[in-house]
Amino acid sequence: MESITASTVTVGIITYKRPALLAELLNSLESQQRMAGFKILVVDNDPNGSGSEVVEASGCSVAYISEPTPGIVAARNAVLESLSSDCQWVIFVDDDETVDAGWFENLVGAANQFACDVVLGPVISVFEPDCPVWITKGGFIQRPSRSTGSTLRTAATNNVLIKLDALRKLPEPRFSEDFSLTGGSDAELFWRLNQSGARLVWCDEATVRESVPNSRANLKWIFRRTIRLGNVSGRLLQRSRPRLVVLLLGAGRIVVGFIRMIASMLTGRGFRDADFSHFAKGIGMVGACLGTIVVEYKRAS
């Protein structure tokens, strides 16, 4: 595999009515773009173009397009459809994140080192000062770490480098509209990439940081989000396993997760995401088998 040239890499950013956070992301990218020379593409999913002034004021060199069709799937596909002809790799990051020093170099370095098709990096949650203690202590809204080079079966578009040749093996549209309102179109895409033989690896040094507002730092939001994740998993599992098997797997997770939560509380370990997510994802899996689809991203425009 030939070494990646930075000029053949585009950082794709989808934004929707978060201009202040978008400005912080572009600011964190500025010095690395100046040194490496990669491209940046912002797709604004707000029909009113709330991100346009931020892009114009940025010190980065940024291509900006509007995608008025509501939904993250339309915006993600717009990124892929708008890449320049010389682009060979695309990086997705979220508009509520900032990148750490050396982020780009580490992502690309991992792709070169492990000769892979996809590199996923960690997303570190940054909580507000008055965030409830039980959330940080219990590991909620925090992602697990892995050793660099670990092989993955799936990924997400919050901090990922993808080889376009691998994507071209999949039928268009790359991101499925079936997941536009429910979320999980990225999980579905990477599931198909994995099935097609693409190699996905982890790079623990390519870190980004995500702002977590207090509107998410509560049990109601966490419960619904975790059920949705299980719901997506249940839908994907049914592609390779009988519905009854997935239903039983989900029911098993509910029982085991509930027992683990009780045991954790009784033994003084407290309320932990590791136990709760096992329980809540099981609910989502069972729902998927029964035809219940969790809609998380529905909006008027």
Side-chain angles (χ1 to χ4, degrees), residues 1-4 89 108 110-117 161 163:
M1 174 175 156
E2 295 183 7
S3 295
I4 301 174
W89 297 79
V108 170
N112 286 328
Q113 179 181 354
F114 299 108
C116 56
D117 303 290
L161 169 69
K163 188 175 184 180

Side-chain angles (χ1 to χ4, degrees), residues 279-296:
F279 169 78
K281 285 180 180 178
I283 295 175
M285 289 172 64
V286 169
C289 294
L290 298 178
T292 300
I293 304 300
V294 179
V295 175
E296 185 172 6

